[in-house]
Amino acid sequence: MDQKTYTTKDGTVVIVLTPTGRLDITTAWQFRLKLQECISKLSRHVVVNLGQVNFIDSSGLTSLVAGMRDAEKVKGSFRICNVHPEAKLVFEVTMMDSVFEIFETEEEALEGVPRGIAS
């Protein structure tokens, strides 16, 4: 899993996580721990780039929901971008595409992070 730190023009630090392969019952718990660690220790703002994830199941979605809740608890932001076409169907069928803030590109997700955040 790739992890990058990005600083916006206004100085907000955003962590970009890019998991690869499958986000399923065998990998979701590790991903969940990584999200928790990033939000609690590095930044309350997270972008998850799903461009390298070609399969996601309910445990993968659960880890994303948990990450979103963790970010909300600390008044942060949680965005998803670059959803692989095969994984996009899962978001649509479960209607999770209306729950998450999903962006086409990492750049769009990063530009949107600071907006609407109460300091």
Side-chain angles (χ1 to χ4, degrees), residues 1-5 15-23 31 34-35 38 46-53 64 79 81-83 106 110:
M1 177 178 336
D2 187 44
Q3 175 182 325
K4 293 186 291 195
T5 302
I15 301 300
V16 180
L17 289 177
T18 308
T20 57
R22 299 168 63 91
L23 200 49
F31 180 66
K34 187 69 171 171
L35 280 172
C38 288
V46 175
V47 171
V48 178
N49 185 330
L50 292 178
Q52 302 296 315
V53 174
L64 290 168
R79 294 169 184 234
C81 68
N82 200 17
V83 180
E106 191 173 298
L110 288 167

Side-chain angles (χ1 to χ4, degrees), residues 60-71:
L61 283 176
T62 301
S63 65
L64 290 168
V65 170
M68 179 177 67
R69 287 193 178 140
D70 287 348

Side-chain angles (χ1 to χ4, degrees), residues 93-104:
V93 168
T94 59
M95 298 199 326
M96 295 306 269
D97 57 339
S98 62
V99 172
F100 292 110
E101 286 188 86
I102 300 177
F103 294 81
E104 286 297 313

Side-chain angles (χ1 to χ4, degrees), residues 13-76:
V13 174
V14 182
I15 301 300
V16 180
L17 289 177
T18 308
T20 57
R22 299 168 63 91
L23 200 49
D24 60 16
I25 196 156
T26 59
T27 59
W29 65 274
Q30 289 172 313
F31 180 66
R32 168 84 181 100
L33 291 174
K34 187 69 171 171
L35 280 172
Q36 277 180 322
E37 178 189 331
C38 288
I39 293 165
S40 66
K41 295 181 179 163
L42 303 174
S43 174
R44 59 193 173 134
H45 305 291
V46 175
V47 171
V48 178
N49 185 330
L50 292 178
Q52 302 296 315
V53 174
N54 58 7
F55 178 84
I56 189 165
D57 70 2
S58 60
S59 48
L61 283 176
T62 301
S63 65
L64 290 168
V65 170
M68 179 177 67
R69 287 193 178 140
D70 287 348
E72 286 172 352
K73 278 184 208 162
V74 294
K75 300 197 177 358

Side-chain angles (χ1 to χ4, degrees), residues 74-93:
V74 294
K75 300 197 177 358
S77 61
F78 188 88
R79 294 169 184 234
I80 295 172
C81 68
N82 200 17
V83 180
H84 193 283
E86 291 175 37
K88 191 174 262 183
L89 184 63
V90 174
F91 284 91
E92 291 166 357
V93 168

